[in-house]
Amino acid sequence: MHSYHEGKQFEEIFRLAALRQGFLPVQMPLGAKRAGKRLIQIKTPFDFILLKQGDPEGTSIFIDCKSFNKNMISYSELTEHQVCSLSTIQRYGFSAGYLIWFRQENAVCFAKASDLRRIEPGKSMHGREMIYLGSIQEFYLGRLFTLQWEKP
């Protein structure tokens, strides 16, 4: 399976898990702009906004889903415009980051935008350094709503 399809598969697994756990995953639509008679896809700042249903405080988390066939993410694998967008969102006091499925370890982890920002060129961040949410079969998203969120 190609990485694009694995990424889309993980997005669907995440969406269904969120609904099952009582959260509302709002997926960002694919963006496009017109170039003459053609439509060209444009980059989106993240994949989902995860809302906690029935929360009078309106708690939300901004998430971009990633899938890797190893146990770490390197600087070169960061999507700069997304890390920048998620960092800005976190700086404004909202929760934001990458939700990552490490297929080799069968682990779903969360990396805060502020932690992604600290990865330097030529360096990596291992799944052990992230917030472990569980295996792909049973990861729990509620933990994300109990974290302390510092501004980057």
Side-chain angles (χ1 to χ4, degrees), residues 43-58:
K43 299 174 182 178
T44 57
F46 49 84
D47 293 329
F48 290 92
I49 302 171
L50 185 63
L51 304 172
K52 189 173 181 181
Q53 293 183 355
D55 185 354
E57 296 178 20

Side-chain angles (χ1 to χ4, degrees), residues 70-129:
K70 55 184 182 172
N71 55 12
M72 66 183 72
I73 182 172
S74 65
Y75 176 84
S76 63
E77 293 166 318
L78 297 174
T79 306
E80 180 58 31
H81 78 276
Q82 290 175 333
V83 173
C84 184
S85 294
L86 293 167
S87 293
T88 300
I89 290 166
Q90 191 175 341
R91 199 168 37 255
Y92 274 81
F94 295 95
S95 308
Y98 276 3
L99 185 69
I100 305 172
W101 175 21
F102 293 110
R103 295 187 310 274
Q104 185 180 66
E105 292 188 352
N106 188 27
V108 177
C109 301
F110 187 81
K112 295 178 182 181
S114 53
D115 293 336
L116 294 170
R117 266 282 186 233
R118 288 193 266 280
I119 302 174
E120 298 175 5
K123 303 286 183 182
S124 297
M125 183 178 186
H126 195 281
R128 293 189 298 266
E129 301 171 75

Side-chain angles (χ1 to χ4, degrees), residues 1 24 61 73:
M1 189 181 294
L24 179 62
I61 301 176
I73 182 172

Side-chain angles (χ1 to χ4, degrees), residues 1-25:
M1 189 181 294
H2 295 95
S3 60
Y4 172 81
H5 295 293
E6 289 167 339
K8 290 298 176 193
Q9 177 190 23
F10 181 44
E11 287 179 12
E12 183 61 9
I13 291 169
F14 161 75
R15 190 185 71 73
L16 292 173
L19 291 170
R20 236 183 0 264
Q21 294 173 33
F23 302 106
L24 179 62

